[in-house]
């Protein structure tokens, strides 16, 4: 489990259509800018968020994202939790491999998003859904 | 019994201080280059006063007592600043060791009953050893802060992006390349490329001690990111031994332009920009060209 | 319906992306560009993304697709003005967009396109390939 952290702010957004992705990215950017995250780290986080939101739309017809500002060991960061009730992922290890895709895309989504954040956790149960949690620290 | 010793310390405070100062000012121990004897005396007076005024019978037996808080706080700040002033651990420790020597000597002179003497010496030992531990703990904390500050400073000064020519940037990398540093370097280089609208960036790695597959990966990333902006990145400063390692490790750098020296990289950059450098012939130099 | 305007500059087309593109708009832009290039016989396409602060794998694919489709109708595509943070992120994401040409700004992009077109007549271009 991702270690416990102090929750400073929390909200959620639904991602049900592709038009929801852009406002969602704006919101993440606002939160990241709010904790004075550097520009490159912000771009890392927003890009990862965009990839994961798209994955959710593509494979699970959308889902919900929790956007949280957290603090742990004196560091502030943004934690995003993507939850869907889609078909789930059969082989999580395989889905995290570069270039693997069941959806005919480039297959950089999951492994790429993982590289762009400080912490990445995925839990999936076939038939029930998938949840992905990522953290990017302000000075990470 | 114990009140007797506290009273004794109070009575002898001035003498203890003088002997302690004497102890500290012996040529072998004194560091006048780091601290003036006035400051040293001020520190000593403060500590001895804190010790004498806060010691109680109960706390003499219990070094964890809250009565010690003012003492440990003061001692902490003293050894913390010693660390920052550049004292060695030994010199910092001798501050307390010196006091301990003096205290034991005074007790030996003043307390006649052998059993009481042993009892008191033990207490003094325990007390001073505890203070010594505090000294080292805070000393190390102070050193760590110094190191952290230096690390930040090095990280900042070690990424100079130089405009060597109109449209050509050079970035000499000194030290090891890890992923955090690569990100900082990339950001500095790319920002400067955009700001100066430069077509070519030369990344000189003669100051990088070793190139393993991780470092190569970081270099490739920097080259790719530069290309995405629309500029060309040349890697220079590949020493023979580094070339050997690269081949031995099977690292593929064929997709990027590499040169052995900054000079040859610059020459290559001139070619790309269709610039030529000529040496003036005497015939050329003899007449003044119209400006 | 919202559309990204395509400017015609001689034998080149110029598109400036000013807003965060949602998917439909990006797909329409790709289709519009290729259609316009074909209709006008444009030799080059410049896509200015200096105002774009995030390019994810979807957007990356759109850019690559435009380049590939344009190539089929004998036009070159140059993406210009990518922000440093976007470039660093794309590389980390594992999407270095190897197939597309890039330039620092519109002016340099234009020069690159000219040299590419001239290159077909025999001259080689030092910056790419």
């Amino acid at each position: 489990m991702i270690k416990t952290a102090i929750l400073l702010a929390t909200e959620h957004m639904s991602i049900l259509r592709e038009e929801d992705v852009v406002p969602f990215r704006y919101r993440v950017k606002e939160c990241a800018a709010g904790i004075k995250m550097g520009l490159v780290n912000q771009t890392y986080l927003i890009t990862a968020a965009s990839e994961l939101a798209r994955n959710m739309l593509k494979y699970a017809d959308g889902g919900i994202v929790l956007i949280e500002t957290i603090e742990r060991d004196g560091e502030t960061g943004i934690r995003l939790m993507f939850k869907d009730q889609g078909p789930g992922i059969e082989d999580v290890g395989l889905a995290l491999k570069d270039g693997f895709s069941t959806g005919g895309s480039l297959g950089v989504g999951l492994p790429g998003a993982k590289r762009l954040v400080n912490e990445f956790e995925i839990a999936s149960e076939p038939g029930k859904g998938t949840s992905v949690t990522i953290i990017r620290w302000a000075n990470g | 019994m114990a009140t007797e010793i506290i009273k004794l310390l109070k009575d002898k405070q001035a003498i203890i201080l003088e002997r302690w100062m004497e102890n500290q000012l012996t040529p072998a121990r004194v560091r006048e280059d780091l601290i003036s004897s006035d400051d040293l005396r001020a520190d000593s007076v403060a500590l001895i006063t804190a010790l004498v005024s806060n010691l109680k019978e109960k706390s003499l037996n219990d070094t964890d007592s809250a009565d010690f808080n003012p003492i440990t706080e003061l001692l902490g700040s003293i050894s913390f600043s010693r660390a920052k002033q550049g004292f060695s651990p030994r010199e910092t420790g001798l501050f307390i060791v010196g006091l301990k020597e003096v205290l034991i000597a005074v007790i030996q002179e003043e307390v006649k009953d052998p059993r009481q003497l042993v009892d008191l010496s033990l207490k003094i030992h325990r007390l001073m050893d505890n203070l010594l531990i505090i000294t080292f703990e805070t000393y190390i904390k102070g050193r760590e802060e110094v190191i952290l500050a230096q690390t930040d400073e090095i990280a900042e000064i070690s990424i100079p992006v130089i405009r060597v020519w109109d449209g050509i940037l050079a970035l000499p990398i000194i030290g090891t390349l890890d992923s955090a540093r690569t990100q900082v370097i990339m950001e500095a280089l790319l920002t400067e490329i955009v700001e100066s609208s430069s077509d070519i960036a030369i990344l000189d790695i003669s100051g990088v001690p070793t190139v393993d597959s991780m470092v190569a990966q970081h270099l490739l990333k920097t080259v790719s990111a530069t290309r995405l902006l629309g500029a060309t990145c040349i890697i220079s400063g590949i020493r023979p031994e580094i070339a050997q390692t690269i081949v031995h490790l099977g690292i593929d750098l064929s997709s990027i332009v590499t040169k052995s020296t900054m000079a040859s990289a610059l020459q290559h950059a001139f070619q790309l920009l269709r610039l030529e450098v000529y040496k003036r012939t005497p015939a050329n130099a003899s007449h003044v060209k119209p400006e | 319906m919202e559309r990204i305007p395509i400017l015609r500059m001689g034998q080149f087309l110029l598109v400036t992306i000013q807003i965060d593109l949602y998917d439909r708009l990006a797909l329409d832009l790709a289709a519009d560009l290729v259609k316009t290039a074909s209709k006008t016989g444009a030799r080059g396409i410049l896509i200015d993304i200096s105002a774009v602060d995030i390019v994810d794998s979807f957007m990356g694919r759109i850019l690559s697709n435009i380049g590939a489709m344009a190539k089929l109708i004998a036009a070159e595509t140059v993406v210009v003005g990518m922000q440093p943070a976007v470039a660093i992120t794309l590389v980390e994401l594992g999407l270095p967009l190897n197939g597309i040409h890039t330039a620092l700004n519109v002016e340099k992009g234009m020069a690159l396109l000219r040299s590419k077109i001239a290159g077909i007549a025999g001259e080689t271009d030092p910056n790419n390939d």
Side-chain angles (χ1 to χ4, degrees), chain B residues 183 186-188 190-191 193-194 197-200 220-222 224-232 271-274, chain C residues 79 81-84 87-88 90-92 95-105 108 123-128:
Chain B
Q183 196 193 317
M186 266 205 257
E187 204 177 344
L190 268 54
T191 308
I193 286 175
V194 171
S197 182
S198 297
D199 295 299
I200 293 162
L220 286 169
K221 273 184 192 169
T222 311
S224 295
T226 312
R227 200 198 66 85
L228 278 174
L229 292 191
T232 306
Q271 270 171 26
L272 289 181
L273 295 179
R274 298 189 171 106
Chain C
V79 171
M82 186 183 290
Q83 289 178 16
I88 295 172
L90 276 176
V91 169
E92 202 60 51
L95 212 66
L97 303 181
N98 285 324
I100 62 171
H101 303 301
T102 49
L104 281 169
N105 50 43
K108 283 178 192 279
E123 208 182 321
T124 52
D125 169 59
N127 267 331
N128 277 273

